[in-house]
Amino acid sequence: MTKTRREFTPEFKREAIALLESSGRPLMQIATELGISPSMLRNWRAIAHGAVPRSRAASSPALTSPVPVTSPADQAAEIARLRRELDRTRMERDVLKNRRGLG
């Protein structure tokens, strides 16, 4: 038994995003009503807002490259964000190291 992949028109996607943003209801509820998976609706919304959907960002490192930062204020903000991310990653690494020693 093979599954056929459903195709959705750009109009359907736009209307689904509009419904999500205007209704104030949870994404899960709207996705269920439309008969689509929540991740599809989440990805459509991300694409509509110019972001890279999570599934594509995780699978393709080329898509996650940062946008060039131009102003000094933007550079400082980006550096601060990267430092926070590095600190969080180091903490996660250290926690995993410590967990391995306990088992």
Side-chain angles (χ1 to χ4, degrees):
M1 185 169 126
T2 60
K3 273 189 155 180
T4 58
R5 186 177 176 136
R6 296 188 307 174
E7 296 280 330
F8 297 97
T9 64
E11 181 183 2
F12 178 82
K13 294 176 183 181
R14 280 192 305 272
E15 289 180 11
I17 295 165
L19 177 64
L20 173 64
E21 293 175 347
S22 66
S23 70
R25 293 182 293 167
L27 183 136
M28 293 285 289
Q29 181 182 3
I30 292 175
T32 302
E33 290 173 5
L34 295 174
I36 60 175
S37 70
S39 63
M40 288 176 72
L41 185 54
R42 191 176 300 112
N43 287 341
W44 294 347
R45 180 179 59 186
I47 291 168
H49 292 294
V52 177
R54 286 189 211 165
S55 61
R56 291 187 187 164
S59 65
S60 177
L63 292 176
T64 60
S65 62
V67 177
V69 181
T70 55
S71 75
D74 289 342
Q75 289 177 346
E78 180 69 5
I79 289 170
R81 183 190 67 79
L82 291 170
R83 285 183 177 152
R84 285 191 305 271
E85 184 178 338
L86 180 59
D87 289 342
R88 189 192 82 241
T89 304
R90 284 180 176 158
M91 182 180 65
E92 289 171 356
R93 179 201 62 195
D94 293 345
V95 167
L96 290 174
K97 275 186 183 178
N98 293 337
R99 294 281 305 198
R100 260 190 282 155
L102 295 176

